[in-house]
Every structure is written in C-alpha cells, then in structure tokens.
Amino acid sequence: AAGTATITYTVAGTGGCPNVTATRTVTVTAAPVAGTLSGTQNVCVGLTTTFSSTQTGGTWSSSNTGTATINATTGVITGVAAGTATITYTVAGTGGCPDATATRTVTVTAAPVAGTLSGTQNICVGLTTTFSSTQTGGTWSSSNTSIATINASGVITGVSAGTATITYTVAGTGGCP
C-alpha cells in the first residue's frame, strides 16, 4: 500500500560503547493503472472514432500514424489509410514506478466506390434500357418508381412520363458509409 515508513539500521556497540542507529524515511508509491480501453475499433479512411479508458490522466499514441492518428489527449482516432494500428494509452509512473500501458487495435477500411455509371438516360414509356457500373456488388434503386423502375440487373422500365433519379449503392464496411 502507498505511504511512508521509517527504516532503522542499528549497529551493536562493543567494548562499552552504546548501540548506534541510523534512520531513513522511505516513501512507497502506488503503481499507476492504465485502465480498461473501449471504443469502436473500426473506422473508415477520413472518418473518426474515439477510444476511452476507465482511468484518467494518460496520453494516447498510435503505432502507425500512416494508418491511424490519435489525439494524445482526447482519444479521437482519424483513419488515414487502410490497415491496422495499435493504439496505446499510457499513464506515467511516479515515485520510482514504471509507466502503465493498455493497448487496443483499430482497423481502418478504405471507403467503398460506386464506380462510373453508364447507359442510355432517355427511355420511352413501356420500354427498357440498362444501366451498368464499373463497380460490382451494388444495388440499384429509383427515386420514383411511378416514373421508372429498375431491377437488380440494372434494367430500367419506363412507367410514365417524368424524371426519376437512378442510384447505385455499394454498401460500406468497417465503419465506412
């Protein structure tokens, strides 16, 4: 336990001489604790997430600032490039105690790409045209299905006169929208 103690060293006296003592006070310091880290471990390139600790007073650092940077005080992590980085929280040791650290990994994911869309943009009611994307794995949707519908293959059917916006969406992963 933390506190102070007095240490006494005694040398026995000989030949009629009294004992001699020397004393010194020793201060015992409690070891620091880094606490338990928490926060979302996935972030998209260009976006942020935040780590926190159950212990206050420490500083944050990243093992790979080319992948993820972290604000030393707030724990806000910014995704820089796809990959992983080890985030370290350090509470400084005092009174002869070493620093205490806790680590947590963050994975940075590249943002998805919807690709470049192509296809004829004018269609007659009752006829079809097809849109395609240079990127696979997305889903098609129409802003107004009473004007134009689109199926999973990108085939658009003209329903009535007007304008509809066709959207191709690629799902984000790893914290990316």
Side-chain angles (χ1 to χ4, degrees), residues 6-17:
T6 302
I7 305 297
T8 303
Y9 180 71
T10 303
V11 176
T14 58
C17 293

Side-chain angles (χ1 to χ4, degrees), residues 5-9 22-27:
T6 302
I7 305 297
T8 303
Y9 180 71
T23 60
R24 185 145 195 181
T25 302
V26 174
T27 302

Side-chain angles (χ1 to χ4, degrees), residues 28-155:
V28 179
T29 305
V33 176
T36 302
L37 305 185
S38 61
T40 303
Q41 291 180 268
N42 295 308
V43 65
C44 189
V45 170
L47 297 181
T48 63
T49 188
T50 303
F51 278 6
S52 61
S53 174
T54 55
Q55 183 67 36
T56 61
T59 58
W60 296 95
S61 62
S62 171
S63 68
N64 186 349
T65 56
T67 298
T69 60
I70 188 163
N71 181 294
T73 341
T74 64
V76 173
I77 300 164
T78 301
V80 176
T84 60
T86 299
I87 302 299
T88 302
Y89 186 67
T90 304
V91 177
T94 59
C97 294
D99 293 349
T101 60
T103 61
R104 188 170 176 90
T105 302
V106 65
T107 301
V108 181
T109 305
V113 176
T116 303
L117 304 185
S118 61
T120 303
Q121 292 179 268
N122 295 312
I123 186 173
C124 186
V125 171
L127 297 182
T128 63
T129 187
T130 303
F131 275 10
S132 62
S133 174
T134 55
Q135 184 68 35
T136 61
T139 57
W140 295 99
S141 63
S142 171
S143 67
N144 190 338
T145 55
S146 65
I147 293 176
T149 60
I150 188 164
N151 70 15
S153 300
V155 176

